[in-house]
Amino acid sequence: MDVSMLQRTYSDLLTSLFREGILNQQFTELQQLQDENNPGFVFEVVSLFFEDSGRLINELISNFNQQAVDYKKIDAYVHQLKGSSASIGAEKIRSVCQTFREYYDKNDIQGCYNCIQPLNQEFVTFKSKLEALFTLEQQIVAAGGSIPMMRH
Amino acid sequence: MVSQEERELHVLAVDDSPVDRALISKLLRSSKFRVTSVDSAQRALELLDLESNVNMIFTDYSMPEMTGYDLLKRVKGSSELKKIPVVIMSSENVPNRICSCLEEGAEDFLIKPVRRDDVSRLCNRVLRC
């Protein structure tokens, strides 16, 4: 694929991520922080998110499968996940975390439980799409092109 | 002759979230601060004990074991540390929490995600840079 085709594919993918509500404006803020001193900043922060959130979600699922569920611990995990997803612009993940906390505040345990599978699914989708985006970035740079910037 | 390190203002960033720690560090470095980041209030106090040249502290509110509020109280209760401006960050907009922190001497209370403008504004106001 030539550079212009790669750049078009990249722009289309990024546009769709915003249109589908997977990303929000905060992701653009991250991109604007990236500079020649730290050209891999977005990739580094999102990679940290993948690692940290993957761990938190595994802890959540594991805790819900215990006989005696520690809901306070689960809420703490979701709070962390909500915070970090908001920080990188992972809007759908943030939104499911928000819903979970609303159920938690109402002591609606079934509501909390019903959020776990969607949360995991949103994380898997987010990870897959962002990995595709970063792969395209690497291909564009390897082909001598520059990464298109989105304007909102 | 003053070194570059000595000219740069030194900010201590405290957050148990690795994502948020990376983000606040980047925001602060983009504003030309020298940044040290730690993952707990306890580590922050250990560093403050060793280093006398911290010009400002940015700390998350919700952290396990010792919160940002606890750290704020320890800093403001110390004759050596009380002049260091402390900024609290939180993803939750809880009015009582904000009031308590400001009453305890926090310079500001920022709602996450923190933006570049927040850091510039604070820098201009607090450190006159």
Side-chain angles (χ1 to χ4, degrees), chain A residues 1-10 136 139-140 142-145:
Chain A
M1 215 186 275
D2 71 2
V3 171
S4 57
M5 182 72 95
L6 286 169
Q7 288 170 327
R8 204 158 35 247
T9 306
Y10 176 90
L136 278 167
Q139 289 171 338
I140 290 168

Side-chain angles (χ1 to χ4, degrees), chain A residues 25-26 29-30 32-35 37-38 41 45 48-49 52 55 79-80 82-84 86-88 101, chain B residues 16-20 22-27 30 32 60 62 64 90-92 97 112-116:
Chain A
Q25 175 64 21
Q26 179 62 16
E29 298 279 335
L30 287 191
Q32 288 170 354
L33 281 175
Q34 188 157 286
D35 56 26
N37 292 327
N38 197 346
F41 172 68
V45 174
L48 276 172
F49 176 76
D52 194 47
R55 176 187 63 82
H79 170 74
Q80 285 181 60
K82 178 170 161 262
S84 56
S87 291
I88 65 157
R101 299 207 84 213
Chain B
D16 62 317
S17 160
V19 172
D20 286 351
L23 180 54
I24 190 62
S25 295
K26 178 63 177 170
L27 281 168
S30 296
K32 309 296 181 205
D60 185 29
S62 300
S90 176
S91 56
E92 293 179 310
R97 185 183 285 185
K112 290 179 173 181
V114 176
R115 300 282 170 89
R116 201 169 0 196

Side-chain angles (χ1 to χ4, degrees), chain A residues 24-141:
Chain A
N24 64 25
Q25 175 64 21
Q26 179 62 16
F27 188 78
T28 307
E29 298 279 335
L30 287 191
Q31 289 181 308
Q32 288 170 354
L33 281 175
Q34 188 157 286
D35 56 26
E36 58 276 2
N37 292 327
N38 197 346
F41 172 68
V42 177
F43 178 78
E44 285 164 19
V45 174
V46 174
S47 298
L48 276 172
F49 176 76
F50 289 161
E51 193 185 318
D52 194 47
S53 302
R55 176 187 63 82
L56 286 169
I57 289 172
N58 284 340
E59 294 278 1
L60 274 173
I61 293 171
S62 165
N63 267 273
F64 257 112
N65 289 335
Q66 308 276 1
Q67 253 188 326
V69 180
D70 185 342
Y71 286 101
K72 203 168 172 189
K73 199 184 261 190
I74 285 174
D75 182 57
Y77 290 141
V78 174
H79 170 74
Q80 285 181 60
L81 191 49
K82 178 170 161 262
S84 56
S85 59
S87 291
I88 65 157
E91 174 57 25
K92 283 199 175 180
I93 296 174
R94 186 208 64 78
S95 180
V96 177
C97 291
Q98 176 67 34
T99 303
F100 175 98
R101 299 207 84 213
E102 285 165 7
Y103 282 125
Y104 181 84
D105 288 342
K106 289 188 284 194
N107 286 321
D108 185 340
I109 301 308
Q110 187 60 48
C112 289
Y113 182 77
N114 290 344
C115 287
I116 299 304
Q117 199 273 335
L119 184 58
N120 190 42
Q121 189 52 56
E122 290 299 344
F123 175 73
V124 167
T125 301
F126 179 83
K127 189 164 186 269
S128 161
K129 302 242 179 192
L130 269 286
E131 281 175 343
L133 195 74
F134 291 136
T135 298
L136 278 167
E137 276 189 8
Q138 285 166 6
Q139 289 171 338
I140 290 168
V141 169

